[in-house]
């Protein structure tokens, strides 16, 4: 009836003799509410009782229907949320542009940062760290930026218990080298802002590399298997002004000492009848040393052998040496950052100046495809940007299994260079996007 009625007639009925004030008590029976007319500034509704009585209300948007309601950013009324609820909203949705229609991303980020600071200063730092871990490990956030900022604030502003929990959470939240570099950048900004607010002179290094900080960064490297560490070091060699050589120089991770400490803990757990962590052994320690030496110097150590050494040699070949025929200057590095270009200056790239030599071009592409298929390299491992404009290279990435997020980000790029004309590429993309575990 309401949908087919005349709005003017409904408004006239709302102004009838049964209109009561806002303080009129509700009937004892459960009423039924009808919404005849609404607008942006006000909303009129009627309450119909069992005895055909009718109570009309005209509620303005800025009026509070309950004493617990507060003014929101849109100018209306809403119920106040708790600081923990606001923290979860910040960790899940972040404060990027488009998160809120009624305020800017800068104001939203500042409001949430103040909420995180108040919770840390109020003695709820461990609860903040637990919330960061929950959102990060469950994959509930589209981006990690908000969680990394909150974790950096826990490290910089928390008490002893909060800092201990935050340092222990660094390897669990920063699961890739890219997120580790982003966390250090956020920590540097938070520490610099804290010193500026206190009126202190900015030191050359804003991050204080104490024992706890060095141990947390070293744990990120040493808790990984040699193959996983090699993958992280070769895929994310530099991000956000940081390189692995910088962190290794500051943290000084020692694989032998770390393995000895793990062995002592395992022995103590076995004495108590508990299951301890599996020891890495001398071979694993040596492989870790090879990976760390490659990350620090950019070259495969002489005399290194084994599966990890072969992986490092193949990654170095793909990033530093292979390039399509061109003008004699390979397009390596791209937008990776100056650290990656500097680490590869000692290697002479394989370039051919004859641009019409199709056989040489096919040989370079064929070798790159073979390396990608053998070691399941990603597009971040390729140094020559001209190779990334070759459909066969992306077809090899799809055959090896691209992650869902990387696949979605590069769909337009692959379509523009004709990757989907290659056999099996469309089926590979549909298989990933229709996979329930991947989604």
């Amino acid at each position: 009836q309401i949908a087919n009625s005349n709005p003017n007639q409904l408004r006239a009925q709302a102004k009838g003799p049964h209109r009561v004030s806002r303080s009129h008590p509700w009937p004892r029976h459960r009423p039924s509410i009808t919404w005849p007319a609404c607008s942006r500034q006000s909303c009129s509704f009627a309450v119909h009782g069992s005895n055909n009585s009718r109570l009309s209300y005209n509620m303005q948007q800025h009026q509070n229907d309950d004493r617990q309601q507060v003014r929101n950013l849109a100018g209306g009324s809403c119920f106040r949320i708790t600081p923990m609820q606001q923290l979860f909203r910040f960790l899940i949705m972040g404060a990027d542009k488009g998160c809120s229609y009624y305020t800017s991303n800068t104001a939203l980020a500042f409001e949430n940062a103040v909420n995180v600071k108040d919770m840390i200063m109020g003695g709820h730092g461990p609860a903040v760290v637990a919330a960061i871990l929950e959102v990060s490990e469950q994959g509930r956030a589209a981006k990690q930026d908000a969680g990394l900022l909150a974790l950096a604030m826990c490290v910089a502003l928390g008490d002893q218990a909060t800092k201990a929990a935050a340092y222990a959470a660094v390897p669990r939240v920063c699961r890739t080298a890219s997120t580790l570099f982003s966390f250090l950048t956020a920590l540097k900004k938070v520490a610099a802002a804290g010193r500026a607010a206190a009126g202190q002179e900015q030191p050359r290094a804003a991050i204080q590399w104490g024992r706890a900080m060095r141990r947390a960064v070293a744990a990120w490297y040493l808790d990984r298997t040699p193959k996983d560490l090699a993958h992280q070091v070769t895929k994310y060699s530099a991000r956000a002004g940081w390189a692995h050589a910088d962190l290794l120089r500051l943290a000084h991770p020692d694989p032998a000492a770390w393995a000895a400490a793990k062995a002592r803990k395992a022995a103590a757990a076995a004495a108590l009848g508990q299951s301890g962590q599996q020891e890495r052994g001398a071979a694993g320690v040596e492989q870790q040393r090879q990976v760390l030496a490659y990350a620090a110097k950019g070259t495969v150590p002489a005399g290194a052998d084994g599966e990890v050494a072969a992986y490092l040699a193949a990654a170095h070949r793909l990033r530093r040496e292979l390039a399509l025929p061109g003008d004699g200057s390979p397009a390596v590095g791209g937008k990776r950052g100056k650290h990656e270009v500097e680490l590869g200056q000692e290697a002479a790239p394989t370039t051919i100046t004859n641009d019409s030599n199709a056989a040489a071009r096919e040989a370079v592409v064929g070798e790159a495809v073979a390396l990608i298929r053998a070691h399941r390299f990603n597009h971040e491992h390729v140094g020559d940007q001209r190779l990334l404009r070759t459909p066969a290279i992306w077809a090899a990435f799809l055959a090896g299994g691209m992650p869902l997020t990387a696949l979605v980000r590069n769909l337009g790029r692959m379509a523009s260079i004709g990757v989907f004309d290659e056999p099996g590429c469309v089926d590979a993309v549909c298989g990933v996007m229709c996979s329930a575990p991947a989604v």
Side-chain angles (χ1 to χ4, degrees), residues 265-278:
K265 291 181 180 179
L272 296 175
Q274 301 175 359
S275 59
Q277 295 182 355
Q278 186 178 3

Side-chain angles (χ1 to χ4, degrees), residues 19 41 98 111-112 137 158 213 227 235 260 291 396:
R19 181 173 179 176
Q41 291 79 17
E111 179 185 353
N112 285 279
E137 292 183 337
M213 186 66 189
K227 185 64 178 294
K235 182 178 179 180
V291 178

Side-chain angles (χ1 to χ4, degrees), residues 186-212:
L187 180 59
K188 186 175 181 180
K189 292 180 180 179
V190 171
R195 291 187 178 89
Q200 301 177 3
E201 184 179 355
Q202 294 294 330
R204 185 174 181 181
I207 301 178
Q208 300 298 324
W209 287 86
R211 178 182 297 180

Side-chain angles (χ1 to χ4, degrees), residues 37-400:
C38 290
S39 65
R40 185 178 179 85
Q41 291 79 17
S42 63
C43 189
S44 302
F45 61 94
V47 180
H48 302 271
S50 59
N51 56 351
N52 295 326
S53 61
R54 186 173 183 275
L55 305 178
S56 300
Y57 290 85
N58 188 7
M59 178 66 65
Q60 299 295 324
Q61 184 183 11
H62 63 273
Q63 293 178 349
N64 295 339
D65 190 50
D66 192 279
R67 293 182 179 180
Q68 298 180 356
Q69 288 184 337
V70 295
R71 183 70 60 87
N72 58 18
L73 297 175
S77 301
C78 65
F79 289 95
R80 186 187 300 275
I81 61 176
T82 62
M84 183 59 70
Q85 291 173 335
Q86 185 177 356
L87 173 64
F88 271 99
R89 289 187 181 184
F90 176 59
L91 296 177
I92 295 173
M93 296 186 294
D96 294 337
K97 185 177 181 180
C99 290
S100 177
Y101 180 77
Y102 300 102
T103 185
S104 63
N105 57 334
T106 304
L108 187 62
F110 180 78
E111 179 185 353
N112 285 279
V114 170
N115 178 62
V116 175
K117 178 185 175 182
D118 293 342
M119 292 187 67
I120 295 173
M121 295 300 183
H124 303 286
V128 174
V129 177
I132 295 171
L133 282 173
E134 178 183 346
V135 173
S136 178
E137 292 183 337
Q138 293 181 1
R140 297 169 61 184
K143 294 183 179 180
Q144 288 270 61
D145 297 340
L148 297 175
L149 176 60
L151 186 63
M153 294 180 68
C154 292
V155 171
L157 307 176
D159 54 8
Q160 185 176 1
T162 302
K163 289 185 177 182
Y167 283 130
V170 168
R172 297 171 60 183
V173 176
C174 304
R175 292 181 291 274
T176 64
S178 178
T179 53
L180 178 64
F181 295 150
S182 299
F183 164 73
L184 293 175
T185 302
L187 180 59
K188 186 175 181 180
K189 292 180 180 179
V190 171
R195 291 187 178 89
Q200 301 177 3
E201 184 179 355
Q202 294 294 330
R204 185 174 181 181
I207 301 178
Q208 300 298 324
W209 287 86
R211 178 182 297 180
M213 186 66 189
R214 295 196 305 268
R215 186 179 299 172
V217 175
W220 187 91
Y221 287 95
L222 300 177
D223 270 345
R224 299 178 178 274
T225 63
K227 185 64 178 294
D228 184 23
L229 182 60
H231 174 76
Q232 294 293 328
V233 166
T234 55
K235 182 178 179 180
Y236 310 103
S237 58
R239 290 288 191 279
W242 295 90
H244 290 286
D246 303 330
L247 302 188
L248 296 178
R249 174 176 52 84
L250 294 168
H252 305 289
D254 188 356
W258 189 267
K262 289 290 185 181
R264 290 193 298 268
K265 291 181 180 179
L272 296 175
Q274 301 175 359
S275 59
Q277 295 182 355
Q278 186 178 3
E279 298 183 18
R280 185 155 293 165
V285 172
E286 182 60 29
Q287 290 177 350
Q288 273 197 332
R289 284 178 175 173
Q290 294 175 5
V291 178
L292 296 179
Y294 176 81
K297 300 179 181 179
T299 56
V300 182
D305 56 355
E307 182 182 0
V308 175
Y311 184 91
L312 294 175
H316 184 81
R317 172 73 175 167
L318 183 61
R319 180 182 291 274
R320 306 292 180 196
E321 299 178 0
L322 281 181
L324 287 178
D327 55 359
S329 58
V332 296
K335 297 182 180 180
R336 313 285 191 198
K338 64 177 183 179
H339 293 89
E340 299 194 8
V341 179
E342 292 173 356
L343 291 176
Q345 287 180 353
E346 73 281 351
T350 304
T351 56
I352 303 173
T353 57
N354 187 3
D355 199 13
S356 61
N357 195 342
R361 180 185 178 89
E362 292 179 0
V364 172
V365 173
E367 183 179 357
V369 169
L371 291 175
I372 293 170
R373 290 180 178 272
H375 300 280
R376 300 186 66 180
F377 288 133
N378 304 107
H379 64 279
E380 291 93 343
H381 287 92
V382 179
D384 186 10
Q385 298 301 306
R386 290 170 296 187
L387 275 174
L388 292 178
R389 293 192 288 268
T390 305
I393 297 295
W394 288 95
F397 293 148
L398 291 174

